[in-house]
Amino acid sequence: MTMSALGEPCVLLKLGEVVLKGNNRELFERRLQANIKAALKDVGVKVDVRQRHGVIAIFLPDGTGVEVADTVAERVSYIPGLVWIHRAWRVAKDPSAITKAAIELLADRDDVRRGVSFAVRSRRRDKRFPLTSMQLDRSVGGELNDIYGLPVDLKRPELVVSIEVDRDEAFVFTGGLPGQGGLPVGTSGRGLVLMSGGIDSPVAAYRMMRRGLRVDFLHFSGIPFTTSESIYKAYALVRALDRFQGGSRLWVVPFGKAQQSIKASGQDRLAVITQRRLMLKTGEEVARRLRAGALVTGDSLGQVSSQTLQNITAQDDAVDMPILRPLIGLDKTEIMAEARRIGTLAISELPDEDCCSLLAPRRAETAAKVADLKKIERRLDAEELAVQLAGSLQEYRLDA
């Protein structure tokens, strides 16, 4: 298979709901292009990102190998806003050049040797092209059938040869990588994720990134009464999630002494909800400093005692800032399946000293009353404590 016969390697990106944005579509497309360029800034070559109607084409410098195109395709497959990524060949907008590229594309393939069924599916974005989509399908498909003897199956083909005729060139490809879907990160504002070392909060962060929210991460460490293990774990989780947005920042608050004060208050059954409210208050203070407009948590309704409806309502009362809970209707099996898919489950399952282990009453309150919680907070001076905790914030940079 020679590059001269196939044309030039490139990558085609198919947009999802961005195309439905009407008059605001251009803003979403510009943000998506910026995210793509940021994700590819260290691939070793200068890429040329061009917008088409409903498609983004990434062209590579002359002489670029297939391996670089594969790396580009894999890298952009993590960027929200894209639904399909195709490693394609850019050829002249000419029926004979398209046919020749399709023939070469199937050469030396194991599935072709096995005699898989196939179909050719063409799309003309440039209606001036002399052949209709159906005519191009038949022309190219007939040549492929003559050369390789593959059975044609237009309903459920095992192999699809795709052809897209654009304004200046044509693209030929087979298969593709599924994208993340959703909206480009940064089109929905900024949020702050309360990041534990567990399974739920990384999935919540991912889901909000898919909805266009750029997120920072806030981790509460049990230091000085625990080791730094939970920080290392949170750092590893943020690194795994950074593929989806780039430029992620992890902030850590030493929370152990505040937990000690809560435990000393003597309100054993309310300790967990009191802690959660203090975390939210601290998170709100940090979010304001970072100019974030919402907090994000991994709460799932009824999953644990602190996540009953009444307890969630009591937590909402602690802050004025919106609290986003993208996992609220999912069960643990569904959350674990998504964590496995996005690559965070194995990290979350590593052992560590979670700060929540410092407050583990034998029986936690499932129906906390706001009035009782506010009495405890007045004794703790929770508002001032939250400001002090936010002032102890430490940043852990991913490039360190």
Side-chain angles (χ1 to χ4, degrees):
M1 188 182 294
T2 64
M3 187 177 296
S4 59
L6 276 168
E8 302 171 2
C10 62
V11 181
L12 278 188
L13 313 179
K14 301 297 180 67
L15 280 58
E17 62 182 289
V18 169
V19 302
L20 305 176
K21 291 303 177 181
N23 294 334
N24 292 324
R25 176 173 169 176
E26 186 178 347
L27 298 174
F28 284 82
E29 289 178 340
R30 283 206 302 266
R31 172 61 67 178
L32 181 55
Q33 288 185 43
N35 293 348
I36 292 167
K37 291 174 183 177
L40 299 177
K41 64 183 178 182
D42 60 349
V43 295
V45 298
K46 186 176 180 180
V47 299
D48 182 8
V49 180
R50 300 186 192 176
Q51 185 73 50
R52 297 288 194 259
H53 185 68
V55 175
I56 292 176
I58 301 178
F59 298 130
L60 307 173
D62 291 342
T64 301
V66 174
E67 298 80 7
V68 175
D70 290 339
T71 298
V72 168
E74 192 270 341
R75 187 76 62 88
V76 298
S77 69
Y78 295 107
I79 298 176
L82 304 172
V83 293
W84 280 103
I85 294 87
H86 301 288
R87 255 278 290 107
W89 294 92
R90 180 190 188 191
V91 301
K93 195 171 66 174
D94 173 76
S96 62
I98 293 170
T99 302
K100 187 175 182 180
I103 292 170
E104 292 296 323
L105 188 59
L106 300 194
D108 301 323
R109 288 178 59 126
D110 290 338
D111 54 354
V112 172
R113 292 193 188 98
R114 292 196 308 269
V116 294
S117 61
F118 86 105
V120 177
R121 290 180 179 157
S122 305
R123 180 181 180 186
R124 294 186 313 157
R125 280 190 284 275
D126 184 354
K127 303 304 182 184
R128 299 169 300 175
F129 191 71
L131 300 180
T132 67
S133 295
M134 187 173 294
Q135 288 171 336
L136 189 57
D137 289 347
R138 289 174 177 170
S139 175
V140 176
E143 291 286 343
L144 294 175
N145 183 258
D146 290 343
I147 292 173
Y148 296 111
L150 301 177
V152 176
D153 185 346
L154 299 181
K155 291 186 177 179
R156 293 186 180 86
E158 297 170 276
L159 173 65
V160 175
V161 177
S162 299
I163 300 168
E164 300 195 0
V165 180
D166 217 317
R167 183 183 63 206
D168 301 316
E169 65 271 300
F171 302 99
V172 183
F173 57 91
T174 61
L177 296 172
Q180 303 301 320
L183 298 173
V185 169
T187 55
S188 299
R190 182 180 290 274
L192 180 65
V193 178
L194 273 59
M195 171 68 82
S196 71
I199 296 170
D200 302 340
S201 53
V203 177
Y206 166 76
R207 287 208 157 199
M208 294 317 304
M209 285 188 279
R210 279 190 75 244
R211 299 315 306 156
L213 198 70
R214 170 162 288 280
V215 299
D216 286 297
F217 300 87
L218 178 62
H219 177 68
F220 292 90
S221 163
I223 287 176
F225 302 112
T226 64
T227 66
S228 299
E229 283 182 354
S230 74
I231 300 176
Y232 300 147
K233 191 173 176 181
Y235 184 91
L237 287 167
V238 173
R239 281 192 70 91
L241 291 167
D242 189 59
R243 297 175 298 174
F244 303 106
Q245 68 169 9
S248 300
R249 298 186 295 179
L250 171 65
W251 305 89
V252 177
V253 168
F255 201 60
K257 290 184 178 179
Q259 289 178 297
Q260 189 179 53
S261 298
I262 293 172
K263 195 168 186 177
S265 69
Q267 301 295 323
D268 193 46
R269 289 187 60 174
L270 292 173
V272 172
I273 305 302
T274 301
Q275 172 182 269
R276 291 283 294 173
R277 282 173 60 98
L278 182 56
M279 286 179 169
L280 290 169
K281 288 178 183 293
T282 306
E284 182 178 49
E285 181 64 29
V286 173
R288 286 173 178 155
R289 298 182 185 192
L290 299 178
R291 298 183 179 179
L295 301 175
V296 180
T297 74
D299 293 334
S300 170
L301 186 62
Q303 186 179 121
V304 294
S305 60
S306 64
Q307 295 173 16
T308 63
L309 181 58
Q310 193 161 340
N311 282 351
I312 287 175
T313 302
Q315 292 172 50
D316 284 341
D317 173 77
V319 295
D320 296 324
M321 187 169 285
I323 303 173
L324 307 180
R325 296 182 172 92
L327 311 184
I328 196 68
L330 301 185
D331 63 29
K332 198 67 176 182
T333 302
E334 293 169 315
I335 297 169
M336 289 179 68
E338 187 142 321
R340 185 178 294 108
R341 184 182 68 78
I342 65 175
T344 59
L345 181 62
I347 302 171
S348 295
E349 289 180 333
L350 293 173
D352 73 299
E353 286 188 281
D354 189 277
C355 72
C356 295
S357 62
L358 298 179
L359 291 178
R362 282 185 304 228
R363 188 177 175 191
E365 181 61 66
T366 59
K369 294 180 175 58
V370 172
D372 294 336
L373 293 165
K374 287 186 173 181
K375 287 179 183 177
I376 300 172
E377 289 173 347
R378 282 194 291 271
R379 291 199 296 270
L380 294 172
D381 196 3
E383 301 295 336
E384 177 59 29
L385 183 54
V387 173
Q388 292 175 10
L389 288 168
S392 66
L393 200 63
Q394 294 179 312
E395 181 180 4
Y396 287 73
R397 300 182 63 87
L398 296 193
D399 56 359

